[in-house]
Amino acid sequence: MPDDLSLRVTPQPVRRQVEERLRDAIITSRFAPGEHLSDRMLCDLFGVSRGVIREAVRLLEAEGLIHVVPNRGPFVAYLSAAEATQVYEVRAVLEALAGQGFAERAAAEEIAELRAVYEELAATRPGSDRLVLLGLKRRFYDVMLRGCRNAYVARMLDQLLNRNSQLRATTLSDPTRLPQTIIEIRRIVEAVERRDRDGAWEACRDHVMQAARVALRILNEQAAMASRAAETAAD
């Protein structure tokens, strides 16, 4: 069991601190897909009560990051290649709708805010911390979802972003992916600055489809490695 006192929390909104830190631990693969998250382990790790842990687990279960197995407890959710394909297909359409709505309805200040977040992302380098990169992308989406003025798109897309956040963190930290991501995000920003609703739709959709290609490659590589390991263990 990892011994990291930095995960301990102090009273404020304690449940929210636990929720955020547990989410970060899952996204960064501190807890791997399929890993059991026992109450005792999490209570010891975070230094909080079982009630707080269970409340945080329920919230992350709703996001799709945790899967609770009856009579066994919570486990880090595993996203298969087939599930990821479906998630990215739906996300591509929702993100395109958000981009289109943003180009049409966002205030000038929101467009400037989107550009500012992009500039921060463009200044990062391959090998940057995954949480930093994911935080920048989270801010980008926060601006876009606010400015698109469509609460239903915002709610559904936010849920999907949470569902595959672990994969997103992995793909963003891939040194071959980050430069391409920056190019794709620039296309989105430039389209909304022109108020080009069709261009924003296309740029957002293309961005998600390129991310899907990298994510599925990673998932297939991981599945192949697991298969080889199982074969080796059986020999």
Side-chain angles (χ1 to χ4, degrees), residues 134-172:
L134 200 62
L136 286 170
K137 283 297 297 292
R138 179 72 264 180
R139 286 170 53 200
F140 186 88
Y141 284 118
D142 285 346
V143 177
M144 181 180 288
L145 295 182
R146 178 182 358 115
C148 78
R149 305 291 188 272
N150 188 321
Y152 292 96
V153 168
R155 189 179 306 121
M156 289 186 286
L157 182 54
D158 191 60
Q159 183 178 4
L160 285 181
L161 291 172
N162 285 331
R163 179 67 184 93
N164 73 334
S165 56
Q166 190 176 51
L167 263 182
R168 290 172 56 229
T170 301
T171 58
L172 275 173

PDB file of all heavy atoms in Angstrom, residues 134-172:
ATOM      1  N   LEU A 134      -4.017  17.839 -18.325  1.00  0.00           N
ATOM      2  CA  LEU A 134      -5.442  17.558 -18.213  1.00  0.00           C
ATOM      3  C   LEU A 134      -6.182  18.761 -17.618  1.00  0.00           C
ATOM      4  O   LEU A 134      -7.316  19.062 -18.003  1.00  0.00           O
ATOM      5  CB  LEU A 134      -5.667  16.320 -17.351  1.00  0.00           C
ATOM      6  CG  LEU A 134      -7.028  15.624 -17.512  1.00  0.00           C
ATOM      7  CD1 LEU A 134      -7.219  15.118 -18.933  1.00  0.00           C
ATOM      8  CD2 LEU A 134      -7.165  14.491 -16.521  1.00  0.00           C
ATOM      9  N   GLY A 135      -5.525  19.454 -16.690  1.00  0.00           N
ATOM     10  CA  GLY A 135      -6.129  20.651 -16.106  1.00  0.00           C
ATOM     11  C   GLY A 135      -6.339  21.746 -17.142  1.00  0.00           C
ATOM     12  O   GLY A 135      -7.376  22.431 -17.137  1.00  0.00           O
ATOM     13  N   LEU A 136      -5.370  21.911 -18.041  1.00  0.00           N
ATOM     14  CA  LEU A 136      -5.514  22.901 -19.104  1.00  0.00           C
ATOM     15  C   LEU A 136      -6.655  22.527 -20.045  1.00  0.00           C
ATOM     16  O   LEU A 136      -7.463  23.379 -20.435  1.00  0.00           O
ATOM     17  CB  LEU A 136      -4.204  23.036 -19.882  1.00  0.00           C
ATOM     18  CG  LEU A 136      -3.074  23.775 -19.169  1.00  0.00           C
ATOM     19  CD1 LEU A 136      -1.774  23.627 -19.934  1.00  0.00           C
ATOM     20  CD2 LEU A 136      -3.430  25.256 -19.020  1.00  0.00           C
ATOM     21  N   LYS A 137      -6.721  21.238 -20.413  1.00  0.00           N
ATOM     22  CA  LYS A 137      -7.821  20.804 -21.270  1.00  0.00           C
ATOM     23  C   LYS A 137      -9.157  20.946 -20.542  1.00  0.00           C
ATOM     24  O   LYS A 137     -10.168  21.298 -21.155  1.00  0.00           O
ATOM     25  CB  LYS A 137      -7.621  19.342 -21.711  1.00  0.00           C
ATOM     26  CG  LYS A 137      -6.607  19.126 -22.800  1.00  0.00           C
ATOM     27  CD  LYS A 137      -6.972  19.789 -24.121  1.00  0.00           C
ATOM     28  CE  LYS A 137      -8.244  19.270 -24.787  1.00  0.00           C
ATOM     29  NZ  LYS A 137      -8.153  17.896 -25.287  1.00  0.00           N
ATOM     30  N   ARG A 138      -9.183  20.699 -19.235  1.00  0.00           N
ATOM     31  CA  ARG A 138     -10.407  20.854 -18.464  1.00  0.00           C
ATOM     32  C   ARG A 138     -10.876  22.305 -18.497  1.00  0.00           C
ATOM     33  O   ARG A 138     -12.075  22.586 -18.656  1.00  0.00           O
ATOM     34  CB  ARG A 138     -10.148  20.415 -17.018  1.00  0.00           C
ATOM     35  CG  ARG A 138     -11.314  20.528 -16.080  1.00  0.00           C
ATOM     36  CD  ARG A 138     -12.361  19.480 -16.357  1.00  0.00           C
ATOM     37  NE  ARG A 138     -13.431  19.968 -17.201  1.00  0.00           N
ATOM     38  CZ  ARG A 138     -14.475  19.243 -17.591  1.00  0.00           C
ATOM     39  NH1 ARG A 138     -14.582  17.977 -17.215  1.00  0.00           N
ATOM     40  NH2 ARG A 138     -15.399  19.754 -18.351  1.00  0.00           N
ATOM     41  N   ARG A 139      -9.941  23.226 -18.353  1.00  0.00           N
ATOM     42  CA  ARG A 139     -10.287  24.650 -18.411  1.00  0.00           C
ATOM     43  C   ARG A 139     -10.793  25.032 -19.800  1.00  0.00           C
ATOM     44  O   ARG A 139     -11.739  25.823 -19.937  1.00  0.00           O
ATOM     45  CB  ARG A 139      -9.073  25.497 -18.034  1.00  0.00           C
ATOM     46  CG  ARG A 139      -8.737  25.482 -16.544  1.00  0.00           C
ATOM     47  CD  ARG A 139      -7.394  26.137 -16.279  1.00  0.00           C
ATOM     48  NE  ARG A 139      -7.320  27.479 -16.864  1.00  0.00           N
ATOM     49  CZ  ARG A 139      -6.163  28.097 -17.120  1.00  0.00           C
ATOM     50  NH1 ARG A 139      -5.008  27.503 -16.851  1.00  0.00           N
ATOM     51  NH2 ARG A 139      -6.163  29.303 -17.629  1.00  0.00           N
ATOM     52  N   PHE A 140     -10.176  24.468 -20.831  1.00  0.00           N
ATOM     53  CA  PHE A 140     -10.611  24.728 -22.204  1.00  0.00           C
ATOM     54  C   PHE A 140     -12.071  24.313 -22.380  1.00  0.00           C
ATOM     55  O   PHE A 140     -12.885  25.067 -22.911  1.00  0.00           O
ATOM     56  CB  PHE A 140      -9.701  23.975 -23.177  1.00  0.00           C
ATOM     57  CG  PHE A 140      -9.968  24.270 -24.629  1.00  0.00           C
ATOM     58  CD1 PHE A 140      -9.343  25.338 -25.259  1.00  0.00           C
ATOM     59  CD2 PHE A 140     -10.843  23.488 -25.369  1.00  0.00           C
ATOM     60  CE1 PHE A 140      -9.582  25.621 -26.598  1.00  0.00           C
ATOM     61  CE2 PHE A 140     -11.092  23.759 -26.708  1.00  0.00           C
ATOM     62  CZ  PHE A 140     -10.460  24.832 -27.320  1.00  0.00           C
ATOM     63  N   TYR A 141     -12.382  23.104 -21.902  1.00  0.00           N
ATOM     64  CA  TYR A 141     -13.753  22.615 -22.034  1.00  0.00           C
ATOM     65  C   TYR A 141     -14.713  23.396 -21.142  1.00  0.00           C
ATOM     66  O   TYR A 141     -15.874  23.620 -21.519  1.00  0.00           O
ATOM     67  CB  TYR A 141     -13.823  21.127 -21.711  1.00  0.00           C
ATOM     68  CG  TYR A 141     -13.283  20.262 -22.830  1.00  0.00           C
ATOM     69  CD1 TYR A 141     -12.177  19.449 -22.642  1.00  0.00           C
ATOM     70  CD2 TYR A 141     -13.878  20.271 -24.082  1.00  0.00           C
ATOM     71  CE1 TYR A 141     -11.679  18.671 -23.665  1.00  0.00           C
ATOM     72  CE2 TYR A 141     -13.388  19.489 -25.118  1.00  0.00           C
ATOM     73  CZ  TYR A 141     -12.280  18.697 -24.900  1.00  0.00           C
ATOM     74  OH  TYR A 141     -11.788  17.926 -25.926  1.00  0.00           O
ATOM     75  N   ASP A 142     -14.272  23.809 -19.965  1.00  0.00           N
ATOM     76  CA  ASP A 142     -15.135  24.596 -19.092  1.00  0.00           C
ATOM     77  C   ASP A 142     -15.588  25.876 -19.798  1.00  0.00           C
ATOM     78  O   ASP A 142     -16.761  26.248 -19.737  1.00  0.00           O
ATOM     79  CB  ASP A 142     -14.412  24.957 -17.793  1.00  0.00           C
ATOM     80  CG  ASP A 142     -14.297  23.778 -16.833  1.00  0.00           C
ATOM     81  OD1 ASP A 142     -14.996  22.762 -17.048  1.00  0.00           O
ATOM     82  OD2 ASP A 142     -13.496  23.867 -15.887  1.00  0.00           O
ATOM     83  N   VAL A 143     -14.647  26.535 -20.478  1.00  0.00           N
ATOM     84  CA  VAL A 143     -14.996  27.758 -21.212  1.00  0.00           C
ATOM     85  C   VAL A 143     -15.938  27.438 -22.365  1.00  0.00           C
ATOM     86  O   VAL A 143     -16.950  28.111 -22.574  1.00  0.00           O
ATOM     87  CB  VAL A 143     -13.729  28.462 -21.742  1.00  0.00           C
ATOM     88  CG1 VAL A 143     -14.108  29.696 -22.560  1.00  0.00           C
ATOM     89  CG2 VAL A 143     -12.809  28.856 -20.596  1.00  0.00           C
ATOM     90  N   MET A 144     -15.613  26.395 -23.128  1.00  0.00           N
ATOM     91  CA  MET A 144     -16.430  26.048 -24.281  1.00  0.00           C
ATOM     92  C   MET A 144     -17.852  25.645 -23.878  1.00  0.00           C
ATOM     93  O   MET A 144     -18.839  26.061 -24.504  1.00  0.00           O
ATOM     94  CB  MET A 144     -15.788  24.915 -25.086  1.00  0.00           C
ATOM     95  CG  MET A 144     -16.586  24.523 -26.325  1.00  0.00           C
ATOM     96  SD  MET A 144     -15.812  23.189 -27.261  1.00  0.00           S
ATOM     97  CE  MET A 144     -14.415  24.063 -27.959  1.00  0.00           C
ATOM     98  N   LEU A 145     -17.962  24.841 -22.822  1.00  0.00           N
ATOM     99  CA  LEU A 145     -19.279  24.373 -22.400  1.00  0.00           C
ATOM    100  C   LEU A 145     -20.112  25.505 -21.811  1.00  0.00           C
ATOM    101  O   LEU A 145     -21.340  25.508 -21.946  1.00  0.00           O
ATOM    102  CB  LEU A 145     -19.134  23.230 -21.401  1.00  0.00           C
ATOM    103  CG  LEU A 145     -18.494  21.951 -21.955  1.00  0.00           C
ATOM    104  CD1 LEU A 145     -18.444  20.872 -20.894  1.00  0.00           C
ATOM    105  CD2 LEU A 145     -19.242  21.449 -23.178  1.00  0.00           C
ATOM    106  N   ARG A 146     -19.460  26.453 -21.178  1.00  0.00           N
ATOM    107  CA  ARG A 146     -20.189  27.617 -20.680  1.00  0.00           C
ATOM    108  C   ARG A 146     -20.664  28.501 -21.836  1.00  0.00           C
ATOM    109  O   ARG A 146     -21.803  28.951 -21.879  1.00  0.00           O
ATOM    110  CB  ARG A 146     -19.281  28.418 -19.737  1.00  0.00           C
ATOM    111  CG  ARG A 146     -19.941  29.659 -19.205  1.00  0.00           C
ATOM    112  CD  ARG A 146     -19.055  30.510 -18.294  1.00  0.00           C
ATOM    113  NE  ARG A 146     -17.739  30.021 -18.024  1.00  0.00           N
ATOM    114  CZ  ARG A 146     -16.617  30.647 -18.429  1.00  0.00           C
ATOM    115  NH1 ARG A 146     -16.693  31.748 -19.157  1.00  0.00           N
ATOM    116  NH2 ARG A 146     -15.436  30.152 -18.118  1.00  0.00           N
ATOM    117  N   GLY A 147     -19.779  28.713 -22.806  1.00  0.00           N
ATOM    118  CA  GLY A 147     -20.084  29.627 -23.897  1.00  0.00           C
ATOM    119  C   GLY A 147     -20.972  29.068 -24.985  1.00  0.00           C
ATOM    120  O   GLY A 147     -21.517  29.831 -25.787  1.00  0.00           O
ATOM    121  N   CYS A 148     -21.129  27.738 -25.034  1.00  0.00           N
ATOM    122  CA  CYS A 148     -21.971  27.164 -26.089  1.00  0.00           C
ATOM    123  C   CYS A 148     -23.446  27.394 -25.819  1.00  0.00           C
ATOM    124  O   CYS A 148     -24.276  27.251 -26.726  1.00  0.00           O
ATOM    125  CB  CYS A 148     -21.672  25.688 -26.292  1.00  0.00           C
ATOM    126  SG  CYS A 148     -22.389  24.574 -25.047  1.00  0.00           S
ATOM    127  N   ARG A 149     -23.799  27.723 -24.560  1.00  0.00           N
ATOM    128  CA  ARG A 149     -25.172  28.028 -24.159  1.00  0.00           C
ATOM    129  C   ARG A 149     -26.137  26.877 -24.448  1.00  0.00           C
ATOM    130  O   ARG A 149     -27.273  27.100 -24.873  1.00  0.00           O
ATOM    131  CB  ARG A 149     -25.676  29.298 -24.875  1.00  0.00           C
ATOM    132  CG  ARG A 149     -24.822  30.534 -24.693  1.00  0.00           C
ATOM    133  CD  ARG A 149     -24.866  31.077 -23.269  1.00  0.00           C
ATOM    134  NE  ARG A 149     -24.194  32.367 -23.182  1.00  0.00           N
ATOM    135  CZ  ARG A 149     -22.887  32.534 -22.949  1.00  0.00           C
ATOM    136  NH1 ARG A 149     -22.118  31.470 -22.756  1.00  0.00           N
ATOM    137  NH2 ARG A 149     -22.360  33.736 -22.881  1.00  0.00           N
ATOM    138  N   ASN A 150     -25.677  25.655 -24.220  1.00  0.00           N
ATOM    139  CA  ASN A 150     -26.539  24.484 -24.363  1.00  0.00           C
ATOM    140  C   ASN A 150     -26.292  23.584 -23.161  1.00  0.00           C
ATOM    141  O   ASN A 150     -25.315  22.832 -23.127  1.00  0.00           O
ATOM    142  CB  ASN A 150     -26.247  23.735 -25.667  1.00  0.00           C
ATOM    143  CG  ASN A 150     -27.255  22.622 -25.944  1.00  0.00           C
ATOM    144  OD1 ASN A 150     -27.688  21.921 -25.033  1.00  0.00           O
ATOM    145  ND2 ASN A 150     -27.621  22.465 -27.209  1.00  0.00           N
ATOM    146  N   ALA A 151     -27.188  23.661 -22.184  1.00  0.00           N
ATOM    147  CA  ALA A 151     -26.986  22.951 -20.924  1.00  0.00           C
ATOM    148  C   ALA A 151     -26.990  21.443 -21.113  1.00  0.00           C
ATOM    149  O   ALA A 151     -26.291  20.719 -20.401  1.00  0.00           O
ATOM    150  CB  ALA A 151     -28.059  23.354 -19.915  1.00  0.00           C
ATOM    151  N   TYR A 152     -27.768  20.935 -22.070  1.00  0.00           N
ATOM    152  CA  TYR A 152     -27.845  19.492 -22.276  1.00  0.00           C
ATOM    153  C   TYR A 152     -26.548  18.957 -22.875  1.00  0.00           C
ATOM    154  O   TYR A 152     -26.031  17.921 -22.445  1.00  0.00           O
ATOM    155  CB  TYR A 152     -29.035  19.148 -23.178  1.00  0.00           C
ATOM    156  CG  TYR A 152     -30.368  19.416 -22.534  1.00  0.00           C
ATOM    157  CD1 TYR A 152     -31.050  20.605 -22.776  1.00  0.00           C
ATOM    158  CD2 TYR A 152     -30.931  18.505 -21.645  1.00  0.00           C
ATOM    159  CE1 TYR A 152     -32.264  20.866 -22.167  1.00  0.00           C
ATOM    160  CE2 TYR A 152     -32.150  18.758 -21.029  1.00  0.00           C
ATOM    161  CZ  TYR A 152     -32.810  19.939 -21.295  1.00  0.00           C
ATOM    162  OH  TYR A 152     -34.005  20.195 -20.681  1.00  0.00           O
ATOM    163  N   VAL A 153     -26.019  19.664 -23.864  1.00  0.00           N
ATOM    164  CA  VAL A 153     -24.728  19.266 -24.438  1.00  0.00           C
ATOM    165  C   VAL A 153     -23.645  19.335 -23.372  1.00  0.00           C
ATOM    166  O   VAL A 153     -22.815  18.419 -23.244  1.00  0.00           O
ATOM    167  CB  VAL A 153     -24.361  20.170 -25.634  1.00  0.00           C
ATOM    168  CG1 VAL A 153     -22.899  19.958 -26.042  1.00  0.00           C
ATOM    169  CG2 VAL A 153     -25.269  19.873 -26.823  1.00  0.00           C
ATOM    170  N   ALA A 154     -23.646  20.410 -22.584  1.00  0.00           N
ATOM    171  CA  ALA A 154     -22.625  20.579 -21.551  1.00  0.00           C
ATOM    172  C   ALA A 154     -22.668  19.448 -20.542  1.00  0.00           C
ATOM    173  O   ALA A 154     -21.638  18.884 -20.165  1.00  0.00           O
ATOM    174  CB  ALA A 154     -22.811  21.923 -20.855  1.00  0.00           C
ATOM    175  N   ARG A 155     -23.873  19.077 -20.102  1.00  0.00           N
ATOM    176  CA  ARG A 155     -24.006  18.029 -19.093  1.00  0.00           C
ATOM    177  C   ARG A 155     -23.548  16.674 -19.626  1.00  0.00           C
ATOM    178  O   ARG A 155     -22.809  15.947 -18.964  1.00  0.00           O
ATOM    179  CB  ARG A 155     -25.465  17.947 -18.628  1.00  0.00           C
ATOM    180  CG  ARG A 155     -25.690  17.034 -17.423  1.00  0.00           C
ATOM    181  CD  ARG A 155     -27.159  17.045 -17.017  1.00  0.00           C
ATOM    182  NE  ARG A 155     -27.639  18.405 -16.790  1.00  0.00           N
ATOM    183  CZ  ARG A 155     -28.656  18.965 -17.447  1.00  0.00           C
ATOM    184  NH1 ARG A 155     -29.294  18.281 -18.375  1.00  0.00           N
ATOM    185  NH2 ARG A 155     -29.030  20.191 -17.175  1.00  0.00           N
ATOM    186  N   MET A 156     -23.978  16.327 -20.826  1.00  0.00           N
ATOM    187  CA  MET A 156     -23.629  15.012 -21.386  1.00  0.00           C
ATOM    188  C   MET A 156     -22.155  14.918 -21.745  1.00  0.00           C
ATOM    189  O   MET A 156     -21.512  13.887 -21.510  1.00  0.00           O
ATOM    190  CB  MET A 156     -24.505  14.722 -22.604  1.00  0.00           C
ATOM    191  CG  MET A 156     -25.956  14.448 -22.254  1.00  0.00           C
ATOM    192  SD  MET A 156     -26.965  13.940 -23.684  1.00  0.00           S
ATOM    193  CE  MET A 156     -27.141  15.516 -24.534  1.00  0.00           C
ATOM    194  N   LEU A 157     -21.602  16.005 -22.308  1.00  0.00           N
ATOM    195  CA  LEU A 157     -20.187  15.968 -22.673  1.00  0.00           C
ATOM    196  C   LEU A 157     -19.314  15.911 -21.431  1.00  0.00           C
ATOM    197  O   LEU A 157     -18.307  15.196 -21.400  1.00  0.00           O
ATOM    198  CB  LEU A 157     -19.831  17.184 -23.523  1.00  0.00           C
ATOM    199  CG  LEU A 157     -18.379  17.262 -24.022  1.00  0.00           C
ATOM    200  CD1 LEU A 157     -17.975  15.995 -24.763  1.00  0.00           C
ATOM    201  CD2 LEU A 157     -18.180  18.493 -24.904  1.00  0.00           C
ATOM    202  N   ASP A 158     -19.699  16.638 -20.396  1.00  0.00           N
ATOM    203  CA  ASP A 158     -18.932  16.616 -19.149  1.00  0.00           C
ATOM    204  C   ASP A 158     -18.878  15.207 -18.577  1.00  0.00           C
ATOM    205  O   ASP A 158     -17.834  14.751 -18.093  1.00  0.00           O
ATOM    206  CB  ASP A 158     -19.559  17.574 -18.145  1.00  0.00           C
ATOM    207  CG  ASP A 158     -18.671  17.792 -16.930  1.00  0.00           C
ATOM    208  OD1 ASP A 158     -17.533  18.271 -17.091  1.00  0.00           O
ATOM    209  OD2 ASP A 158     -19.101  17.471 -15.813  1.00  0.00           O
ATOM    210  N   GLN A 159     -19.990  14.478 -18.650  1.00  0.00           N
ATOM    211  CA  GLN A 159     -20.023  13.103 -18.156  1.00  0.00           C
ATOM    212  C   GLN A 159     -19.090  12.209 -18.956  1.00  0.00           C
ATOM    213  O   GLN A 159     -18.368  11.370 -18.389  1.00  0.00           O
ATOM    214  CB  GLN A 159     -21.446  12.567 -18.222  1.00  0.00           C
ATOM    215  CG  GLN A 159     -21.600  11.165 -17.651  1.00  0.00           C
ATOM    216  CD  GLN A 159     -23.044  10.679 -17.688  1.00  0.00           C
ATOM    217  OE1 GLN A 159     -23.919  11.352 -18.213  1.00  0.00           O
ATOM    218  NE2 GLN A 159     -23.290   9.514 -17.126  1.00  0.00           N
ATOM    219  N   LEU A 160     -19.074  12.370 -20.271  1.00  0.00           N
ATOM    220  CA  LEU A 160     -18.190  11.552 -21.105  1.00  0.00           C
ATOM    221  C   LEU A 160     -16.722  11.890 -20.862  1.00  0.00           C
ATOM    222  O   LEU A 160     -15.868  10.999 -20.865  1.00  0.00           O
ATOM    223  CB  LEU A 160     -18.524  11.745 -22.585  1.00  0.00           C
ATOM    224  CG  LEU A 160     -19.791  11.068 -23.096  1.00  0.00           C
ATOM    225  CD1 LEU A 160     -19.970  11.334 -24.576  1.00  0.00           C
ATOM    226  CD2 LEU A 160     -19.750   9.564 -22.851  1.00  0.00           C
ATOM    227  N   LEU A 161     -16.423  13.162 -20.667  1.00  0.00           N
ATOM    228  CA  LEU A 161     -15.039  13.553 -20.392  1.00  0.00           C
ATOM    229  C   LEU A 161     -14.553  12.926 -19.100  1.00  0.00           C
ATOM    230  O   LEU A 161     -13.391  12.505 -19.004  1.00  0.00           O
ATOM    231  CB  LEU A 161     -14.930  15.082 -20.327  1.00  0.00           C
ATOM    232  CG  LEU A 161     -15.132  15.825 -21.656  1.00  0.00           C
ATOM    233  CD1 LEU A 161     -15.197  17.326 -21.418  1.00  0.00           C
ATOM    234  CD2 LEU A 161     -14.016  15.494 -22.643  1.00  0.00           C
ATOM    235  N   ASN A 162     -15.430  12.865 -18.104  1.00  0.00           N
ATOM    236  CA  ASN A 162     -15.057  12.198 -16.862  1.00  0.00           C
ATOM    237  C   ASN A 162     -14.872  10.698 -17.073  1.00  0.00           C
ATOM    238  O   ASN A 162     -13.966  10.082 -16.497  1.00  0.00           O
ATOM    239  CB  ASN A 162     -16.129  12.437 -15.794  1.00  0.00           C
ATOM    240  CG  ASN A 162     -16.077  13.833 -15.215  1.00  0.00           C
ATOM    241  OD1 ASN A 162     -15.020  14.455 -15.161  1.00  0.00           O
ATOM    242  ND2 ASN A 162     -17.213  14.345 -14.792  1.00  0.00           N
ATOM    243  N   ARG A 163     -15.743  10.105 -17.896  1.00  0.00           N
ATOM    244  CA  ARG A 163     -15.701   8.649 -18.101  1.00  0.00           C
ATOM    245  C   ARG A 163     -14.375   8.190 -18.678  1.00  0.00           C
ATOM    246  O   ARG A 163     -13.867   7.137 -18.307  1.00  0.00           O
ATOM    247  CB  ARG A 163     -16.856   8.219 -19.034  1.00  0.00           C
ATOM    248  CG  ARG A 163     -16.880   6.719 -19.336  1.00  0.00           C
ATOM    249  CD  ARG A 163     -17.197   5.922 -18.081  1.00  0.00           C
ATOM    250  NE  ARG A 163     -17.151   4.497 -18.280  1.00  0.00           N
ATOM    251  CZ  ARG A 163     -16.094   3.728 -18.071  1.00  0.00           C
ATOM    252  NH1 ARG A 163     -14.952   4.272 -17.667  1.00  0.00           N
ATOM    253  NH2 ARG A 163     -16.150   2.424 -18.246  1.00  0.00           N
ATOM    254  N   ASN A 164     -13.805   8.949 -19.602  1.00  0.00           N
ATOM    255  CA  ASN A 164     -12.548   8.496 -20.196  1.00  0.00           C
ATOM    256  C   ASN A 164     -11.379   9.404 -19.846  1.00  0.00           C
ATOM    257  O   ASN A 164     -10.428   9.543 -20.604  1.00  0.00           O
ATOM    258  CB  ASN A 164     -12.679   8.325 -21.713  1.00  0.00           C
ATOM    259  CG  ASN A 164     -12.752   9.633 -22.470  1.00  0.00           C
ATOM    260  OD1 ASN A 164     -13.177  10.639 -21.932  1.00  0.00           O
ATOM    261  ND2 ASN A 164     -12.341   9.629 -23.720  1.00  0.00           N
ATOM    262  N   SER A 165     -11.448  10.024 -18.650  1.00  0.00           N
ATOM    263  CA  SER A 165     -10.387  10.940 -18.242  1.00  0.00           C
ATOM    264  C   SER A 165      -9.041  10.257 -18.085  1.00  0.00           C
ATOM    265  O   SER A 165      -7.991  10.851 -18.348  1.00  0.00           O
ATOM    266  CB  SER A 165     -10.773  11.648 -16.934  1.00  0.00           C
ATOM    267  OG  SER A 165     -11.074  10.713 -15.922  1.00  0.00           O
ATOM    268  N   GLN A 166      -9.038   8.992 -17.664  1.00  0.00           N
ATOM    269  CA  GLN A 166      -7.768   8.279 -17.512  1.00  0.00           C
ATOM    270  C   GLN A 166      -7.085   8.109 -18.865  1.00  0.00           C
ATOM    271  O   GLN A 166      -5.878   8.331 -19.004  1.00  0.00           O
ATOM    272  CB  GLN A 166      -8.009   6.921 -16.860  1.00  0.00           C
ATOM    273  CG  GLN A 166      -6.727   6.201 -16.436  1.00  0.00           C
ATOM    274  CD  GLN A 166      -7.035   4.906 -15.713  1.00  0.00           C
ATOM    275  OE1 GLN A 166      -7.798   4.091 -16.204  1.00  0.00           O
ATOM    276  NE2 GLN A 166      -6.462   4.725 -14.541  1.00  0.00           N
ATOM    277  N   LEU A 167      -7.873   7.741 -19.880  1.00  0.00           N
ATOM    278  CA  LEU A 167      -7.318   7.613 -21.224  1.00  0.00           C
ATOM    279  C   LEU A 167      -6.853   8.960 -21.757  1.00  0.00           C
ATOM    280  O   LEU A 167      -5.820   9.056 -22.416  1.00  0.00           O
ATOM    281  CB  LEU A 167      -8.374   7.035 -22.183  1.00  0.00           C
ATOM    282  CG  LEU A 167      -8.343   5.541 -22.455  1.00  0.00           C
ATOM    283  CD1 LEU A 167      -9.425   5.183 -23.469  1.00  0.00           C
ATOM    284  CD2 LEU A 167      -6.980   5.104 -22.979  1.00  0.00           C
ATOM    285  N   ARG A 168      -7.619  10.007 -21.478  1.00  0.00           N
ATOM    286  CA  ARG A 168      -7.249  11.331 -21.956  1.00  0.00           C
ATOM    287  C   ARG A 168      -5.927  11.769 -21.361  1.00  0.00           C
ATOM    288  O   ARG A 168      -5.090  12.352 -22.052  1.00  0.00           O
ATOM    289  CB  ARG A 168      -8.349  12.340 -21.614  1.00  0.00           C
ATOM    290  CG  ARG A 168      -9.627  12.148 -22.422  1.00  0.00           C
ATOM    291  CD  ARG A 168     -10.764  13.022 -21.923  1.00  0.00           C
ATOM    292  NE  ARG A 168     -10.380  14.411 -21.915  1.00  0.00           N
ATOM    293  CZ  ARG A 168     -10.543  15.241 -20.884  1.00  0.00           C
ATOM    294  NH1 ARG A 168     -11.069  14.799 -19.754  1.00  0.00           N
ATOM    295  NH2 ARG A 168     -10.191  16.499 -20.969  1.00  0.00           N
ATOM    296  N   ALA A 169      -5.723  11.485 -20.079  1.00  0.00           N
ATOM    297  CA  ALA A 169      -4.456  11.846 -19.444  1.00  0.00           C
ATOM    298  C   ALA A 169      -3.300  11.088 -20.076  1.00  0.00           C
ATOM    299  O   ALA A 169      -2.216  11.633 -20.281  1.00  0.00           O
ATOM    300  CB  ALA A 169      -4.526  11.556 -17.944  1.00  0.00           C
ATOM    301  N   THR A 170      -3.528   9.822 -20.411  1.00  0.00           N
ATOM    302  CA  THR A 170      -2.484   9.008 -21.028  1.00  0.00           C
ATOM    303  C   THR A 170      -2.139   9.518 -22.417  1.00  0.00           C
ATOM    304  O   THR A 170      -0.959   9.656 -22.774  1.00  0.00           O
ATOM    305  CB  THR A 170      -2.932   7.537 -21.103  1.00  0.00           C
ATOM    306  OG1 THR A 170      -3.207   7.069 -19.784  1.00  0.00           O
ATOM    307  CG2 THR A 170      -1.850   6.670 -21.728  1.00  0.00           C
ATOM    308  N   THR A 171      -3.156   9.808 -23.224  1.00  0.00           N
ATOM    309  CA  THR A 171      -2.885  10.259 -24.593  1.00  0.00           C
ATOM    310  C   THR A 171      -2.238  11.641 -24.590  1.00  0.00           C
ATOM    311  O   THR A 171      -1.353  11.914 -25.409  1.00  0.00           O
ATOM    312  CB  THR A 171      -4.176  10.296 -25.432  1.00  0.00           C
ATOM    313  OG1 THR A 171      -5.137  11.154 -24.805  1.00  0.00           O
ATOM    314  CG2 THR A 171      -4.770   8.914 -25.581  1.00  0.00           C
ATOM    315  N   LEU A 172      -2.661  12.528 -23.673  1.00  0.00           N
ATOM    316  CA  LEU A 172      -2.079  13.862 -23.622  1.00  0.00           C
ATOM    317  C   LEU A 172      -0.600  13.836 -23.266  1.00  0.00           C
ATOM    318  O   LEU A 172       0.175  14.681 -23.704  1.00  0.00           O
ATOM    319  CB  LEU A 172      -2.828  14.729 -22.612  1.00  0.00           C
ATOM    320  CG  LEU A 172      -4.092  15.437 -23.100  1.00  0.00           C
ATOM    321  CD1 LEU A 172      -4.798  16.109 -21.941  1.00  0.00           C
ATOM    322  CD2 LEU A 172      -3.768  16.454 -24.178  1.00  0.00           C
TER     323      LEU A 172
END
